[in-house]
Amino acid sequence: MAAFLLGAVLLIVQPQIVPSRPAINSKAETSSQPVQRELLKKTSPKNDFKENIHSNGSCQQLPQTIIIGVRKGGTRALLEMLSLHPDIAAAESEVHFFDWEDHYRNGLQWYVNQMPFSYPHQITVEKTPAYFTSPKVPERVYNMNQSMRLLLILRDPSERVLSDYTQVFYNHMQKHKPYPSIEQFLVKDGELNVDYKAINRSLYYIHMQNWLKYFPLDHIHIVDGDKLIKDPFPEIEKVERFLKLSP
C-alpha cells in the first residue's frame, strides 16, 4: 500500500529539481560564472583536442551515445548488454564529466582520455546515471555535440525510490553506521517529502522537460527497465534500431 500511494503522488507532484550533487553557495556560484562561460567554449565541438591513437588503428574519441540515467533504473544492465555488440565500445566506469565541476573544468581532453579505445566503425558509449537529474548537464552535452544520441532507462518510479533507498541503507550497514528508516525520509510535515533526492529522481517528467529544451525527442530513446529485466531481447532490439546497429 505504501508503494502504491507513493507511486500515485509521484504522478501529480511537480517540485523544484534537486541537483545530483550538493549545491554550492550563491557567492561561489556568482564568482564561477565567468569560468563556466569559458568552459562552455572549451567544450564546444570546434575545440581542438587530441584523439589518442593506438598502433592497431583504434583511438580514444568522444562518445556518440550517452546513457544519461536513471539511477537504479538498470543502467549497468543496459550497458553490459550493449557492450556485447561488436560495434560498441563502452567506458567501464561512470565518468561524471558533465555533472561534477572538478571533472568538467578539466575540459574535453580529459573527457576523451576516459574513453575506451575504439575502431572507426564502433560507437563509443559512456553511462552516468546522475546526468538525467542534473540541471546543467543537458546544455553542456548540447554544446559538445548537438547530434548526441541519448539513452534513458526508466522503471516504475515508486520501485525506483525503494531501490535507491535500499542501496544507501545497505552501504551504511556495511560500514556499521545507523541509517533512518525509509518512512522518515518519505514523509515531512504530513506530506510527501519531495526534497528527498530518491523521490526527486523519480519525477521523470520534471527532468525530461529540461532535456527537451536542448534535444528533440527523436534523439532520446527511452528503455523500459522493467521489461529489460523480464524480457531483454525486444528492448535491446529497439536500442539497436535507435543506434542504427546491425541486429
Side-chain angles (χ1 to χ4, degrees):
M1 179 60 71
F4 173 77
L5 292 174
L6 173 60
V9 176
L10 286 172
L11 291 175
I12 60 175
V13 175
Q14 296 187 17
Q16 294 296 314
I17 295 174
V18 177
S20 64
R21 293 267 280 186
I24 54 179
N25 61 52
S26 57
K27 182 178 180 180
E29 189 171 20
T30 302
S31 63
S32 70
Q33 287 176 353
V35 176
Q36 293 305 314
R37 284 194 292 269
E38 281 301 310
L39 286 171
L40 289 177
K41 294 178 182 178
K42 283 179 67 178
T43 53
S44 71
K46 297 179 181 179
N47 181 58
D48 292 329
F49 62 91
K50 179 182 178 182
E51 292 184 341
N52 301 322
I53 301 174
H54 194 276
S55 59
N56 63 8
S58 64
C59 69
Q60 290 174 297
Q61 57 182 331
L62 291 172
Q64 298 89 13
T65 298
I66 299 176
I67 299 176
I68 58 175
V70 62
R71 174 182 161 99
K72 306 309 295 179
T75 57
R76 173 53 60 180
L78 176 60
L79 185 68
E80 293 293 341
M81 293 177 189
L82 265 181
S83 66
L84 296 174
H85 199 290
D87 292 341
I88 291 290
E92 294 183 2
S93 59
E94 297 176 7
V95 182
H96 287 282
F97 175 65
F98 296 102
D99 63 322
W100 288 3
E101 299 302 323
D102 52 344
H103 285 179
Y104 189 65
R105 66 170 56 96
N106 290 328
L108 276 184
Q109 186 62 63
W110 182 91
Y111 190 38
V112 170
N113 293 344
Q114 313 311 308
M115 295 300 114
F117 280 86
S118 60
Y119 292 100
H121 69 278
Q122 291 181 307
I123 295 175
T124 298
V125 180
E126 79 114 326
K127 75 105 175 170
T128 301
Y131 287 165
F132 181 59
T133 57
S134 300
K136 295 180 181 180
V137 170
E139 182 179 10
R140 290 176 172 182
V141 174
Y142 179 84
N143 283 326
M144 183 189 74
N145 183 0
Q146 299 176 14
S147 301
M148 182 68 70
R149 310 291 280 180
L150 304 167
L151 293 173
L152 173 63
I153 180 167
L154 304 177
R155 61 186 292 202
D156 179 282
S158 56
E159 292 290 338
R160 200 220 62 80
V161 170
L162 297 176
S163 181
D164 199 327
Y165 168 84
T166 301
Q167 182 183 44
V168 179
F169 175 82
Y170 179 77
N171 289 340
H172 277 71
M173 292 301 99
Q174 288 288 90
K175 299 175 183 177
H176 303 288
K177 295 181 178 180
Y179 198 66
S181 68
I182 190 170
E183 289 81 5
Q184 292 177 263
F185 287 112
L186 293 180
V187 179
K188 182 179 181 180
D189 299 326
E191 297 182 354
L192 191 68
N193 181 17
V194 294
D195 292 328
Y196 175 38
K197 286 187 178 181
I199 290 180
N200 194 274
R201 294 185 186 110
S202 279
L203 300 175
Y204 306 146
Y205 171 73
I206 300 297
H207 304 296
M208 192 64 168
Q209 286 185 97
N210 197 25
W211 284 92
L212 291 175
K213 292 177 183 177
Y214 298 94
F215 293 95
L217 193 56
D218 60 6
H219 278 233
I220 306 174
H221 178 71
I222 300 176
V223 179
D224 188 321
D226 297 311
K227 289 183 179 179
L228 184 72
I229 298 302
K230 296 176 182 177
D231 189 15
F233 191 64
E235 286 300 308
I236 290 298
E237 281 187 315
K238 295 174 186 176
V239 175
E240 287 176 334
R241 287 194 291 269
F242 174 70
L243 298 179
K244 299 179 181 179
L245 294 167
S246 60

